[in-house]
Amino acid sequence: MKRFLLTSLVAFILLLPTFSLGKKDVQNVSTGSKQNHQEQTDSLRIVSLVPSTTEIIFALDAQNQLVARTDFCTWPPEAQAIPSVGGYDGKTISLERIVAFQPDLVCIADVMHNHLIQPLEALGIKVFLSTAQKLDQIYEEIVQLGHLTGHQEEAQKLVTQIHGELEEAQQLVTATQPAQQNLGTKVYWEVSAVPYFSPGKDSFITDLLVAMGLENIFGHVGQAYPQVNEEGIIASQPDYIFFPDYNFQGAAGARAIASRTGWQKLPAVVHGKIYPVDSDLFSRPGPRVGTMALELARLITSQAPAFESAQ
């Protein structure tokens, strides 16, 4: 069991673009007139090594420019028809395989793929370095990729759409809270239990919860995904618990969390507010963050418990 949970944590981390929050190294594809820029972007050939940037490219309706992806770039389903260069881990992707697709631009993840920057640039291939973790950084990458692909208008519409979805989710939660008199707004988000990891201050998950009027109990910890301790979880008395459902355990996974020693009196356990969430969806800081917020709002506002409490 411990081996499975550790493997799940590694898989979750591999789906994230980066834990770094450094300045993004974005190189524009073209210079000169607007017409020249449009002509160059229309014929742009992109290889994306990052699931979130692949999703952005599709959301911008620029998928005709995407010539290759990774095995982890699985959304939307249409992405799976595009040839793959291999796994997401930089060690499993060869430079030769990337170059074989004759790209003009390669989207890479900071830390994971930094070793590819110098050889790609030496070949005259532009690099887009994805470092997005916070909500504002997701918006920034959408706008930048919109410029690089010649889809600026679609990028602005997408950002506006996400803002609207976040606002709708916040309104749903706010409207429901008075009816849930025995619950507050504190959330424990479990990435892994062996050891315990949870989103911290530098994670888009924390931003998402705050935007919805909720409080991440580890939102003050200055990392993206810090290791935390069980004592801190119990002492915080979370009202809601979310966990990525790596093995599609559903309610059984929620009951397993509720049965942990010392957890029985947590408000989230007493009221059956422990929810599994899609592990792929909630690991990608990309264009579906609004969808994530609405899904969380749906779960929180549901009157039925996620599982039957033993209390």
Side-chain angles (χ1 to χ4, degrees):
M1 183 65 175
K2 288 185 177 180
R3 179 177 296 177
F4 166 73
L5 289 171
L6 183 57
T7 301
S8 298
L9 173 61
V10 171
F12 178 85
I13 291 174
L14 286 178
L15 286 171
L16 296 171
T18 175
F19 289 124
S20 168
L21 292 173
K23 182 175 176 59
K24 195 179 290 87
D25 179 16
V26 180
Q27 302 184 34
N28 290 339
V29 171
S30 65
T31 57
S33 69
K34 181 176 180 180
Q35 180 178 351
N36 288 339
H37 175 69
Q38 189 63 52
E39 290 173 352
Q40 290 183 353
T41 54
D42 285 345
S43 61
L44 191 68
R45 294 176 61 84
I46 304 173
V47 170
S48 174
L49 307 184
V50 190
S52 57
T53 59
T54 299
E55 291 193 17
I56 292 174
I57 289 168
F58 268 88
L60 296 176
D61 199 25
Q63 62 269 20
N64 64 310
Q65 299 168 324
L66 189 63
V67 296
R69 60 179 179 98
T70 72
D71 294 342
F72 285 84
C73 298
T74 55
W75 187 268
E78 292 79 6
Q80 298 177 50
I82 295 173
S84 174
V85 296
Y88 178 55
D89 189 339
K91 297 177 182 178
T92 68
I93 299 175
S94 71
L95 178 65
E96 292 75 15
R97 178 67 172 159
I98 295 171
V99 173
F101 287 95
Q102 300 180 317
D104 304 298
L105 176 70
V106 177
C107 300
I108 68 173
D110 192 19
V111 180
M112 184 68 70
H113 304 129
N114 284 9
H115 64 286
L116 294 172
I117 296 176
Q118 191 279 328
L120 286 171
E121 291 182 338
L123 292 170
I125 299 171
K126 302 295 184 182
V127 170
F128 178 88
L129 186 62
S130 175
T131 64
Q133 278 297 336
K134 305 286 284 179
L135 273 179
D136 286 347
Q137 293 169 332
I138 296 172
Y139 301 145
E140 181 184 353
E141 289 202 352
I142 290 172
V143 171
Q144 289 170 331
L145 284 168
H147 173 73
L148 292 171
T149 60
H151 288 74
Q152 295 95 323
E153 184 176 345
E154 291 88 343
Q156 292 297 336
K157 288 181 179 179
L158 179 56
V159 171
T160 299
Q161 173 189 320
I162 294 171
H163 279 292
E165 290 168 336
L166 291 175
E167 183 177 350
E168 181 182 351
Q170 191 272 336
Q171 290 173 349
L172 285 171
V173 171
T174 300
T176 305
Q177 280 303 133
Q180 299 184 356
Q181 297 177 6
N182 296 318
L183 288 170
T185 60
K186 292 189 291 186
V187 172
Y188 165 55
W189 193 288
E190 182 166 288
V191 173
S192 169
V194 186
Y196 287 103
F197 278 88
S198 185
K201 181 179 180 181
D202 298 330
S203 168
F204 77 98
I205 294 293
T206 297
D207 284 352
L208 204 61
L209 295 173
V210 171
M212 296 172 62
L214 300 170
E215 175 191 354
N216 175 9
I217 63 172
F218 294 110
H220 62 283
V221 181
Q223 299 176 40
Y225 293 90
Q227 184 173 341
V228 299
N229 61 65
E230 188 174 28
E231 291 77 10
I233 299 168
I234 295 173
S236 296
Q237 294 287 294
D239 302 289
Y240 304 95
I241 296 175
F242 296 99
F243 66 98
D245 198 3
Y246 303 111
N247 202 33
F248 306 103
Q249 298 177 76
R255 284 193 292 270
I257 291 175
S259 67
R260 293 173 184 168
T261 301
W263 289 53
Q264 283 70 37
K265 294 184 179 180
L266 297 183
V269 175
V270 172
H271 297 283
K273 297 294 186 177
I274 305 178
Y275 299 102
V277 296
D278 187 309
S279 57
D280 281 353
L281 173 62
F282 284 90
S283 67
R284 299 177 180 179
R288 290 190 288 165
V289 289
T291 301
M292 297 179 205
L294 290 171
E295 172 64 11
L296 293 181
R298 183 188 68 79
L299 293 173
I300 287 175
T301 57
S302 173
Q303 296 302 309
F307 69 101
E308 291 301 323
S309 172
Q311 299 294 315

